[in-house]
Each structure stands twice: as C-alpha cells, then as structure tokens.
Amino acid sequence: MNFLTIRIDFNFFIQYTNKLQGKQMRIIAISNNKGGVGKTTTTVNLAAALHLLDKKVLVIDIDHQAQSTYHLGYNPNNIKHTVYDAMKGEISYEDIIIDRKGLHLLPANMDLKDIEFLPIPAKEFLLKDALEDLSGYDYVLVDCPPSLGTLTLNALSFCNEIYVPLQVQFLPFHGMYNLFEAVQLVKKRLNKNIEITGIIGTMFNAKKIINNEVIAETEKRVPGKLFKSLIRDNVALQEAPSWGQTIFEYKSDSNGAEDYMLLTKEILERYGES
Ligand SMILES: Nc1ncnc2c1ncn2[C@@H]1O[C@H](COP(=O)(O)OP(=O)(O)OP(=O)(O)O)[C@@H](O)[C@H]1O
Ligand SMILES: [Mg+2]
C-alpha cells in the first residue's frame, strides 16, 4: 500500500464516519453577479463566526481580485501557490491551504484570470476535480467574483448551495433575477444538485424606505430564502479589511460583528446545528 492509497483510505474513513454521525460538509458559494454587494465581507465574516462557534471552516477565494485573501491579512502578490495551481493539477490543495489560527484559507491571486486562456476542455470542473477528496470541514465557503464567467461556474459546479448577498437597493434586487436564470442553466448542464438556499440582506439601513421595500419584495417574490438577520450598513465592516482582520478581531462590539454572529446562529439553526 503506497502513501496515496493511505491518504485516500483516510479521507474515505473521515467521510464514512461523518456520514455515520449524520455530519455533512456544507459547501456554499457566496455569489452574486453584481459587484460590490458584500460577497467578500460575508464570506470572511460568516467563516470567522462559524469558526468562533467551533466549526471547522475552509474559505476558498476564487476571485482574481483576491479580496478574501487580502481581507484575511495576506498579500496575494507574496503568495507562492494559490487555488489556481491546484485547479491546474500542479500541486495538491493540501499544500496550498493556509492555516490562519484554525480558520483555513485556499488563497487566490491575479493568476486566476489566466483560466480563460487555458487550452483545455471542461474548464468549469477544474475546482471540483482538484478538491475531489476534500473532507474534514463542516463548512466550505467560496467567495465568487462579480460575474458569471468561468471562475464562478467552477464554484457553482463544486458547491451544493448558493447564498446570495443582496444589497437591499432597487437595482441589485432586479439584477438578482439574472443570477436565478443562470443557476437554472447551471443546474441543467453542470451541477444538478446546486440550489440557492439563502439570500442575505446587506448594507441595510432601517431608516431608508427603499431598503425596507426591497426586503418586503424579496420575502414576497422568493419566499423562505431571505435570512431574518440583516447585515446593517456599518463602517467597521469597511475598515476591518485594511487591517487584515475579521470584524470579530477588529471590533467585536460593532453592529457588523453583532449582525454576522446573529446571521451565523440563524444559519446553524436552519441546519438544526445550533
Ligand atoms: N454591511 C456593510 N456596511 C458597510 N459597508 C459594507 C458592508 N458590507 C460590505 N461593505 C463594503 O462595501 C464594499 C463592497 O463589499 P465587498 O467587497 O464585500 O463586496 P463584493 O460583492 O465582494 O465585491 P466584488 O463584487 O468586487 O467582489 C467594500 O468596501 C466593503 O467594505
Ligand atoms: Mg468580493
């Protein structure tokens, strides 16, 4: 029995025992084709809150802007290997993952842009193939870029669920329908298991009528998807990335920290894990 066989058997063992214990690895894309709606902020702070609540969490940054990587305190220009090297099959994801005080990160950098020029077929499955034997995590969160290009399709081929951060404004609300249509196509052609299971209202200000209207419309038109916990407009959430910190490290008494913790507890409750 060689080393590879032992590794595969070990992963099989973990998956088997997880199944026996009813545990499931939740693999969630944080996605919205609209830019600047809070995907990265949500990925990083949801991951941090899950980690604080003793869940084993992996963040995958699949955006060439590498914003989750920056947010967690790493300069992408100084990172030797990224998720892209794993996708190209050049190095195992296990040798790329950064252990950040127990919260794990599969980082990105600008190289991810080159995926468009790779002269190979079925480029949408590179992430899924690279992470075929991934195990041992309770939650895997994938921070997607603001487009429905090859990188996002990789995330949607790999994940089982999508959480959509929705900036509670008129235009982002209508833009969300493009995403719904795209997900139907992905379901047909790439991943029949993928579902939008949650919508997260971001940058909410209770005093703004439009914010409240968008919340009400979302609940009416897409019932059951919007989490009750809304993420308020909060300046600490904007400042935390420049310190390479999560909101819980930067300002644990901020509205941002409170909102992301409440959201995380609501998510765990939904899965019956609280
Ligand atoms: N709840 C909030 N309150 C105030 N500012 C916020 C909030 N959430 C995010 N932001 C800020 O809004 C900007 C966009 O957020 P973020 O980078 O998370 O969005 P994104 O969807 O990942 O963007 P992109 O599409 O470029 O990847 C950032 O400057 C971020 O700090
Ligand atoms: Mg982002």
Side-chain angles (χ1 to χ4, degrees), residues 30 35-41 43 61 63 65-68 143-146:
I30 311 294
V37 293
K39 293 182 288 293
T40 301
T41 308
T43 306
D61 190 350
D63 185 355
Q65 302 175 95
Q67 292 178 339
S68 285
D143 184 16
C144 295

